[in-house]
Amino acid sequence: MNIHDKAHDLARALRESQEFDSLQKKRLIVETNPESKKLLDDFHKKQVELQTIQLSGQSVTPQQQKEFESIAGLAGMNPSVRDYLAAEMQLIRIMEDIQKILSEALAMG
């Protein structure tokens, strides 16, 4: 058994999954509307900015949190962006489940 072959099999299974297909379809819908695309890009940019701050050991300021909540609120009111983010979360949950399965399989002790 080659572990790399198994990893490629898993990647292929993810690409062929209903969740990935749904994400791709919803991405196309968002990308056809410039306003929705900008909103999604702004949401992701702010999300990464806040995660970077937290990972560096700093605290997110109330102003930064307020800005993110404002963008998230707008994203939630835009049906195509909201649907895309929901599909994105479904795929992220699968990836987290895979990580958990692998971590538990390799747990020592």
Side-chain angles (χ1 to χ4, degrees):
M1 173 179 71
N2 182 323
I3 194 72
H4 292 97
D5 290 341
K6 294 293 183 185
H8 287 289
D9 289 345
L10 178 57
R12 194 170 17 267
L14 285 169
R15 276 192 312 272
E16 294 171 357
S17 71
Q18 175 186 357
E19 291 81 4
F20 185 74
D21 183 59
S22 176
L23 181 65
Q24 293 295 85
K25 288 177 181 173
K26 290 175 183 357
R27 177 181 295 146
L28 286 174
I29 293 169
V30 168
E31 288 180 353
T32 61
N33 181 318
E35 181 182 311
S36 295
K37 182 170 178 1
K38 182 177 179 348
L39 180 56
L40 181 62
D41 290 345
D42 290 348
F43 176 84
H44 279 145
K45 181 179 175 185
K46 186 54 103 172
Q47 186 178 43
V48 168
E49 179 184 317
L50 296 185
Q51 288 172 344
T52 301
I53 290 169
Q54 291 173 328
L55 290 173
S56 70
Q58 299 175 21
S59 294
V60 173
T61 67
Q63 178 63 30
Q64 291 167 322
Q65 184 65 34
K66 185 178 177 182
E67 290 170 6
F68 178 73
E69 289 171 2
S70 175
I71 293 171
L74 291 172
M77 290 189 296
N78 181 307
S80 59
V81 173
R82 182 182 59 234
D83 291 349
Y84 173 85
L85 290 172
E88 186 179 65
M89 274 307 303
Q90 285 182 321
L91 193 60
I92 287 170
R93 279 190 204 108
I94 291 171
M95 300 290 288
E96 288 172 345
D97 290 346
I98 292 168
Q99 179 63 39
K100 182 180 177 193
I101 291 166
L102 293 172
S103 295
E104 288 173 356
L106 297 175
M108 303 222 183

